[in-house]
Amino acid sequence: MTTTAPAIDVRGLRKHYGPIRAVDGVDLTIAPGQVYALLGPNGAGKTTTVEILEGFRRRDEGEAQVLGMDPGTGSLAYRARIGIAFQNSATQELLSPREILRFQAALYPAPMPPDEALALAGLTEAADRRAGKLSGGQRRRLDLAAAVVGRPEVIFLDEPTTGFDPAARRQAWEVVRGLTSQGRTVLLTTHYLDEAEALADRIGIIARGRIIAEGTMDELRRHFGARTRIRWRHDADRMPQAESLPGAWAGEASREATGRVTLSTSEPYRDLRALLDWAVAAGLDDLPELTITRPTLEDLYLELVGEEPS
């Protein structure tokens, strides 16, 4: 059986600054075509890890392979196969986005037409405006276009939607999804946890130089015992007594003075079905204000780290 080599493969990665262990034994495997979100607070080791993989910082220990190559060599062959959207990039103020992308495209063996990259990033209307006149959000779009114009196989996106309005963020998400549908791999860092949850196939949370949690959202929920909340309003005037509720609802659900009943459960399908069966047997047409809330990435992240990512 043929196995596909990882796009990114890291083992025992370490980087020290004197007594400070910025990266302290990171293991990381990212498959081709995946979006991997690496999250963590300031000083966690996230930026150092990414900079090592981009080839801008040398590691002290461990192994790192990107597309089967060592990023530490800094070779042109390696540079030609990756794309980077920096968080803080230096833009040629007097050049237009189209001119900047023409220059960027010339560095790659088989780039996309610059106008195609501009369209992907939603920057067509500003294509001939001087870069120094672009808004902050437009500059981030230009960074995104520059990262993809060379048709790279692995793309590093560092806070790619900072300064975007909600509509522009959704458009950028579609660009990322389009890239992975073509088999490209994306390593994403972001402080928008909803962005990571919406885009990432796998998520890694780094703190104190180590990966402290990793997996899909479902795997993270299961591993950390995150519970789903099922909530509805019990109208005592037209419903059977709440004491007649089935199973876990009878003994574990919390009840408020407003009539709202909440069950926190690790088996939401079982307990929701029991509630609905009870409602049907009681002749109820509906359960007012019924909501089902699964734990979000933000819930899990704050439980593990205790502060917002940065």
Side-chain angles (χ1 to χ4, degrees):
M1 183 174 66
T2 303
T3 58
T4 303
I8 297 176
D9 194 20
V10 175
R11 291 287 174 268
L13 191 67
R14 287 180 169 82
K15 180 66 180 179
H16 301 164
Y17 299 99
I20 299 172
R21 297 182 177 183
V23 180
D24 192 20
V26 164
D27 295 333
L28 196 60
T29 301
I30 305 175
Q34 281 191 342
V35 177
Y36 188 101
L38 185 62
L39 309 176
N42 277 334
K46 173 181 78 244
T47 300
T48 301
T49 298
V50 173
E51 287 178 347
I52 290 170
L53 296 177
E54 291 169 340
F56 293 115
R57 195 174 297 275
R58 291 195 175 277
R59 63 190 182 271
D60 292 330
E61 299 176 42
E63 299 296 327
Q65 295 281 313
V66 179
L67 299 171
M69 295 182 288
D70 184 344
T73 64
S75 68
L76 291 177
Y78 178 66
R79 295 284 174 210
R81 296 177 68 186
I82 67 168
I84 303 172
F86 297 101
Q87 185 175 359
N88 298 300
S89 61
T91 301
Q92 297 295 322
E93 303 283 305
L94 298 180
L95 299 180
S96 70
R98 180 177 279 116
E99 290 168 333
I100 290 170
L101 291 184
R102 283 174 181 163
F103 174 79
Q104 185 81 5
L107 302 176
Y108 290 88
M112 68 176 66
D115 284 353
E116 183 180 335
L118 289 166
L120 275 175
L123 204 56
T124 299
E125 292 183 2
D128 297 309
R129 189 179 304 167
R130 285 188 178 182
K133 299 295 185 181
L134 299 178
S135 68
Q138 287 172 328
R139 285 178 181 243
R140 293 305 291 150
R141 293 187 190 208
L142 178 55
D143 293 336
L144 181 59
V148 305
V149 71
R151 302 188 197 273
E153 297 166 65
V154 171
I155 304 165
F156 298 93
L157 299 181
D158 188 7
E159 307 288 353
T161 63
T162 299
F164 282 24
D165 60 43
R169 286 183 69 209
R170 298 304 188 279
Q171 182 179 6
W173 293 1
E174 290 307 311
V175 172
V176 173
R177 293 185 180 112
L179 293 170
T180 55
S181 71
Q182 299 168 6
R184 289 165 171 77
T185 305
V186 175
L187 178 55
L188 169 73
T189 63
T190 179
H191 65 275
Y192 296 122
L193 292 173
D194 63 327
E195 181 165 277
E197 188 168 356
L199 288 176
D201 299 294
R202 296 186 67 80
I203 297 161
I205 299 174
I206 188 170
R208 299 173 297 282
R210 297 184 178 184
I211 301 289
I212 61 172
E214 185 184 47
T216 66
M217 270 302 300
D218 283 342
E219 287 170 347
L220 291 172
R221 288 187 182 107
R222 287 195 300 269
H223 181 74
F224 292 101
R227 298 170 73 84
T228 298
R229 287 182 298 169
I230 305 173
R231 197 168 191 242
W232 62 288
R233 180 169 56 79
H234 188 90
D235 188 346
D237 292 335
R238 66 182 188 90
M239 293 182 178
Q241 291 296 315
E243 285 71 17
S244 68
L245 285 165
W249 286 93
E252 299 176 25
S254 63
R255 301 168 195 178
E256 303 173 14
T258 59
R260 288 183 176 85
V261 181
T262 302
L263 179 66
S264 179
T265 175
S266 59
E267 299 187 67
Y269 300 113
R270 180 203 67 183
D271 291 322
L272 178 60
R273 178 165 184 168
L275 178 64
L276 296 177
D277 287 345
W278 172 85
V280 169
L284 302 176
D285 295 328
D286 71 328
L287 293 172
E289 301 174 22
L290 176 65
T291 59
I292 303 166
T293 307
R294 301 187 76 190
T296 65
L297 179 56
E298 181 174 8
D299 296 328
L300 295 172
Y301 182 92
L302 291 176
E303 181 177 339
L304 287 168
V305 178
E307 59 180 289
E308 294 289 347
S310 53

